[in-house]
Amino acid sequence: MSEQPTNGTETPGAVVDLLGLLAYAELVAFFRLSEDASLAPTLADKAELAQLATVEFGHYTRIRDRLVELGAEPGAAMEPFTAAVDAFHAQTAPNDWLESLVKAYVGDGIAADFYRQVAELVDPGTRELVHEVLSNAGHSEFVVARVRAATENDPKIAGRLALWARRLVGEALGQAQRVAAERAELAGLLVGRVEGAGGDLAEIGRMFARLTESHTARMNALGLST
Amino acid sequence: MSEQPTNGTETPGAVVDLLGLLAYAELVAFFRLSEDASLAPTLADKAELAQLATVEFGHYTRIRDRLVELGAEPGAAMEPFTAAVDAFHAQTAPNDWLESLVKAYVGDGIAADFYRQVAELVDPGTRELVHEVLSNAGHSEFVVARVRAATENDPKIAGRLALWARRLVGEALGQAQRVAAERAELAGLLVGRVEGAGGDLAEIGRMFARLTESHTARMNALGLST
């Protein structure tokens, strides 16, 4: 029924850390998207953001179940990451509907990139989960449509939202670096190696650079320059 | 692909009203449960309430899709009922975690009773939807466990929550009567007949009495006397 935590080269502590971080991030994403929906101009838009929220909650339940399979207690696994994730959201509360849409899109995109990067670094069971979560990601086409409609004829709004997106990524990377510094095993997993004390910070920097690059590509697709 | 709105004895206006009311109630239930989850003492409890919220959202999407099938615009169908549903929630914001649990349980129970009562009064397609929604209702076993644990050894808490449940039902019935008074066709549908101007208020009263009775039975099951 349940698998035992793996040992040795698969660094179970790091995998539990990773899943704990992702679980908490998804759970909070659910609550934040639900809350941000209050900014929606219409009931239909409100419901669309709620739909995105329920997708994040689905991810959360899958990751939580995997933690239980690995013999970890989900609450304890999430706990080390609540401060960083909460700080990110405290710093990035959207001021209006368009900011909340861009935040949903940027957050979903960074999360997907991150899942993709770590998928190859973990045990097969966890990898399968990551691919499942990825295949069920997104549903954010409506975000692209809404943002494009608002910015197409108004470069001022486009400029403001581009700045906002840059700030979101900056805050996300800042909190990610904080997490990497505090959780040596997790940082080691993320750079594809296991070291007792910390991983290679330059390698982590390169991973963050790759995330930033694909973020830029997404912003271009959205009609926002970075 | 899509069915035409039915005419004549099936009172499409009343069915659209009914579905609009239910859709909006489910959508708001999603947002309120998400918000009330902030009162949860643990991450696990928070996630449990979020789970209930996503079930309500699932109901919303099914009802919305049915409205579209019937040729109605969901936003327009919900609009006449926003004031009453919003007023109910404004009057019943929970003050703590236990109140939010009792509200989730009471709301879910009344909604289920209501669905059951109307299931036989509508066209076959809508009836099927109602049965589907009902078969996917609940998941609130954890609510019973939490409330029982809190009240078992503390009659004072039990008394406070029993009062709270009574207030919830009172507010719900008050808003329901307001809706019945304003929407004659819907009121007619609910009492199983179609009248041009208003339905039989005594019959509506009896329907409400049946809802109240099964509420009392639920409260007893929960260990709260009414």
Side-chain angles (χ1 to χ4, degrees):
Chain A
M1 178 82 195
S2 74
E3 294 169 38
Q4 289 304 306
T6 53
N7 283 307
T9 54
E10 295 193 3
T11 60
V15 169
V16 167
D17 262 12
L18 177 64
L19 295 175
L21 167 59
L22 294 176
Y24 190 69
E26 295 280 14
L27 184 59
V28 175
F30 167 82
F31 286 114
R32 289 299 166 152
L33 287 169
S34 302
E35 199 181 319
D36 292 349
S38 65
L39 299 165
T42 69
L43 279 177
D45 285 330
K46 217 172 141 110
E48 289 280 8
L49 213 57
Q51 176 76 63
L52 288 185
T54 63
V55 171
E56 309 296 352
F57 188 77
H59 296 172
Y60 160 77
T61 59
R62 300 304 317 278
I63 299 166
R64 178 202 59 198
D65 293 348
R66 178 68 186 155
L67 279 165
V68 172
E69 269 174 25
L70 291 172
E73 200 282 298
M78 291 191 276
E79 202 281 325
F81 307 103
T82 56
V85 174
D86 290 351
F88 169 74
H89 287 288
Q91 297 296 326
T92 59
N95 292 303
D96 60 27
W97 171 236
L98 289 170
E99 287 190 3
S100 73
L101 287 180
V102 170
K103 184 174 173 183
Y105 189 76
V106 167
D108 210 56
I110 292 182
D113 285 345
F114 185 75
Y115 281 119
R116 253 175 237 116
Q117 293 240 16
V118 302
E120 301 314 313
L121 305 173
V122 292
D123 62 280
T126 303
R127 183 178 312 138
E128 198 184 320
L129 164 67
V130 167
H131 283 142
E132 269 186 53
V133 165
L134 274 171
S135 71
N136 186 28
H139 302 292
S140 50
E141 301 80 7
F142 98 97
V143 173
V144 177
R146 292 291 185 289
V147 173
R148 277 198 170 272
T151 57
E152 243 161 24
N153 301 308
D154 194 334
K156 218 169 134 187
I157 293 181
R160 176 167 71 80
L161 293 179
L163 266 177
W164 169 245
R166 207 179 310 168
R167 203 179 121 209
L168 291 170
V169 175
E171 294 287 350
L173 294 184
Q175 295 302 333
Q177 274 163 340
R178 168 179 168 182
V179 167
E182 285 172 4
R183 309 294 289 188
E185 260 197 296
L186 175 58
L189 171 66
L190 294 184
V191 298
R193 70 187 72 177
V194 184
E195 290 175 13
D200 180 336
L201 282 177
E203 187 59 42
I204 295 177
R206 283 189 286 277
M207 187 183 82
F208 286 160
R210 286 192 296 274
L211 290 178
T212 311
E213 275 164 32
S214 57
H215 167 72
T216 303
R218 265 193 309 277
M219 287 301 99
N220 290 337
L222 200 56
L224 303 178
S225 59
T226 51
Chain B
M1 181 81 198
S2 74
E3 295 169 39
Q4 289 304 308
T6 52
N7 284 308
T9 54
E10 295 193 1
T11 61
V15 170
V16 167
D17 261 11
L18 176 65
L19 294 174
L21 167 60
L22 294 176
Y24 190 70
E26 295 281 13
L27 183 59
V28 174
F30 167 82
F31 286 114
R32 288 299 164 152
L33 288 168
S34 302
E35 198 181 319
D36 291 349
S38 65
L39 298 165
T42 69
L43 279 177
D45 285 330
K46 218 173 141 110
E48 290 279 8
L49 214 57
Q51 176 77 64
L52 288 186
T54 64
V55 171
E56 308 296 352
F57 188 77
H59 295 172
Y60 161 76
T61 59
R62 298 305 318 279
I63 299 166
R64 178 202 59 197
D65 292 350
R66 178 68 186 155
L67 279 165
V68 172
E69 270 175 24
L70 292 173
E73 200 284 299
M78 292 190 276
E79 203 282 324
F81 307 103
T82 57
V85 175
D86 290 351
F88 169 74
H89 287 288
Q91 296 296 328
T92 59
N95 292 303
D96 61 26
W97 172 236
L98 288 171
E99 287 190 3
S100 73
L101 287 180
V102 170
K103 183 174 173 182
Y105 189 76
V106 168
D108 211 56
I110 293 182
D113 285 343
F114 186 74
Y115 281 120
R116 252 174 239 119
Q117 295 239 15
V118 301
E120 302 315 314
L121 306 172
V122 293
D123 61 282
T126 303
R127 184 178 312 139
E128 199 185 320
L129 164 67
V130 168
H131 284 142
E132 269 187 54
V133 165
L134 273 170
S135 72
N136 186 29
H139 302 292
S140 50
E141 301 81 6
F142 99 99
V143 172
V144 177
R146 292 291 185 289
V147 173
R148 278 200 169 271
T151 56
E152 241 158 27
N153 301 309
D154 194 334
K156 216 169 134 188
I157 294 182
R160 176 168 70 80
L161 293 178
L163 267 178
W164 169 244
R166 206 178 312 168
R167 201 178 124 211
L168 291 171
V169 175
E171 294 286 349
L173 294 185
Q175 294 303 331
Q177 273 163 340
R178 168 178 167 184
V179 166
E182 285 172 3
R183 309 295 288 187
E185 261 197 295
L186 174 59
L189 171 67
L190 294 183
V191 297
R193 71 187 73 175
V194 184
E195 289 175 13
D200 179 336
L201 281 176
E203 187 58 41
I204 295 178
R206 283 190 285 277
M207 186 182 82
F208 287 159
R210 287 192 296 275
L211 291 176
T212 311
E213 276 165 31
S214 58
H215 167 72
T216 303
R218 265 195 308 278
M219 287 301 98
N220 289 337
L222 200 57
L224 303 178
S225 59
T226 51

